[in-house]
Amino acid sequence: MAGYHAKKRLGQNFLKSPEVIQRIVDEVDPSPGRLVIEIGPGRGALTHPLAESGVELLAVEFDRDLVGYLEKLVRKFDNATILHADFLTFEPDAVRYPVFTLLGNLPYNITSPVMDWCDRYHGRIESAVFMVQEELALRLAGSPGSKNWSPLSVMTQMLFDVDFRFRVSGKAFRPPPKVTSAVVRLTPRATILDTATDAVRQVVKVSFKQRRKLLINNLVPEVIPTVAQACEILNDLGLDRSCRAEQVTIEQFLALTNGLLRLKLV
Ligand code: SAM
């Protein structure tokens, strides 16, 4: 697209490496009869090979200046549609496929709201392949006991298994971003532990408020009035009173939330 200048405010770093593009398309595992919704197709680096694969493709682009170009790019494919919209306001109710795969080389400024979107519509998501900043990918895929275990890890992994797939150097993009990126793959958990309710969200947020503090010191007095009561609650759950939030598993956060709900503390 001669003369087009990438827009920083829309997080436009376009993929140019054929190897990386192919690896991402392989992650999506496109096959006819399935629906892929692409977030931010940009200049079509992933859109074109996906349309060519025969998969049903709906690509949602916010930048009006790119829409005409994208429409021309996929004109010969009956299976590909370009939608000019803000993905964050996109509602999948009208989509006739019961489930779909989400794909996105995500602009860094909408990563968090896209994760909230996944939370809201998790029942419709068959899988999601996202390229994000490496640091965020590590947090999404983090496990208890590691420094990457965070509210984002807990809330995402309550609904999805997260697989850190591979790193992508800045050289694979034009213009190159300052940080390394990584591709993650989300698949729905075999057993949904619970929906990410507001109560769980609140407990997890408070528990991690000051990472270096003991869990008990984050919970008292904001959620639990006294240390004695907190010790009793943690003890009942088999949690050590000297543990930190980064050691607490999803199952333990859920049990803690249920205990606090029973006591009407959240
Ligand atoms: N997929 C392309 C690629 O890999 O080369 C472009 C990726 S670029 C990092 C992000 C794209 O998302 C841009 O095209 C940008 O205009 C688009 N975008 C930004 N915010 C958006 C939003 N809220 N809804 C849909 N697209 C958005």
Side-chain angles (χ1 to χ4, degrees), residues 216-217 219-233 265:
I216 209 165
N217 293 337
L219 293 172
V220 178
E222 194 156 339
V223 178
I224 307 174
T226 65
V227 171
Q229 197 180 3
C231 285
E232 204 180 314
I233 294 170
L265 292 172

Side-chain angles (χ1 to χ4, degrees), residues 10-15 38-43 45-46 60-63 66 85-88 105-107 110:
L10 292 178
Q12 293 184 345
N13 300 98
F14 300 113
L15 271 170
E38 187 186 3
I39 307 168
R43 294 195 293 200
L46 299 164
V60 185
E61 175 56 60
F62 184 67
D63 185 354
L66 291 171
D86 176 353
F87 176 76
L88 300 177
N105 167 12
L106 298 181
I110 66 163

Side-chain angles (χ1 to χ4, degrees), residues 34-253:
R34 289 179 47 222
L35 173 67
V36 174
I37 301 181
E38 187 186 3
I39 307 168
R43 294 195 293 200
L46 299 164
T47 321
H48 190 269
L50 279 170
E52 215 162 30
S53 74
V55 79
E56 194 68 33
L57 178 66
L58 173 64
V60 185
E61 175 56 60
F62 184 67
D63 185 354
R64 184 190 298 276
D65 296 343
L66 291 171
V67 172
Y69 171 82
L70 285 162
E71 282 170 346
K72 224 181 272 170
L73 189 73
V74 300
R75 185 172 291 159
K76 65 175 178 196
F77 302 108
D78 291 341
N79 53 312
T81 307
I82 306 295
L83 177 67
H84 174 218
D86 176 353
F87 176 76
L88 300 177
T89 62
F90 174 74
E91 291 183 7
D93 310 0
V95 169
R96 66 186 169 87
Y97 285 73
V99 291
F100 45 79
T101 290
L102 278 181
L103 166 69
N105 167 12
L106 298 181
Y108 70 96
N109 55 327
I110 66 163
T111 310
S112 242
V114 167
M115 296 317 298
D116 291 342
W117 193 100
C118 291
D119 188 343
R120 207 158 53 247
Y121 297 113
H122 70 268
R124 304 287 306 274
I125 300 171
E126 189 176 33
S127 62
V129 176
F130 292 144
M131 172 126 67
V132 293
Q133 295 188 354
E134 182 187 14
E135 182 230 338
L136 194 107
L138 289 168
R139 277 201 282 137
L140 283 168
S143 40
S146 79
K147 70 175 171 43
N148 292 314
W149 190 238
S150 61
L152 182 71
S153 333
V154 180
M155 298 315 292
T156 307
Q157 292 182 33
M158 218 178 277
L159 300 169
F160 299 98
D161 290 323
V162 183
D163 202 0
F164 185 105
R165 302 298 295 158
F166 52 90
R167 285 183 179 75
V168 179
S169 131
K171 289 186 203 137
F173 304 86
R174 187 180 297 126
K178 288 196 180 75
V179 295
T180 303
S181 302
V183 172
V184 287
R185 192 163 199 279
L186 276 58
T187 39
R189 287 183 71 118
T191 46
I192 295 288
L193 293 175
D194 199 344
T195 48
T197 61
D198 288 345
V200 184
R201 209 180 286 279
Q202 183 196 346
V203 170
V204 171
K205 196 171 159 207
V206 173
S207 301
F208 278 99
K209 199 164 177 192
Q210 293 196 51
R211 280 193 85 92
R212 269 176 298 188
K213 272 192 175 183
L214 300 183
L215 174 65
I216 209 165
N217 293 337
N218 278 327
L219 293 172
V220 178
E222 194 156 339
V223 178
I224 307 174
T226 65
V227 171
Q229 197 180 3
C231 285
E232 204 180 314
I233 294 170
L234 296 192
N235 197 33
D236 286 350
L237 296 173
L239 281 168
D240 194 318
R241 61 174 293 176
S242 62
C243 75
R244 291 183 166 72
E246 65 188 32
Q247 295 163 298
V248 179
T249 65
I250 289 180
E251 289 78 2
Q252 289 170 326
F253 273 121

Side-chain angles (χ1 to χ4, degrees), residues 17-39:
S17 157
E19 295 79 33
V20 174
I21 291 167
Q22 189 55 51
R23 280 187 85 178
I24 296 175
V25 170
D26 290 346
E27 285 295 328
V28 171
D29 189 19
S31 50
R34 289 179 47 222
L35 173 67
V36 174
I37 301 181
E38 187 186 3
I39 307 168

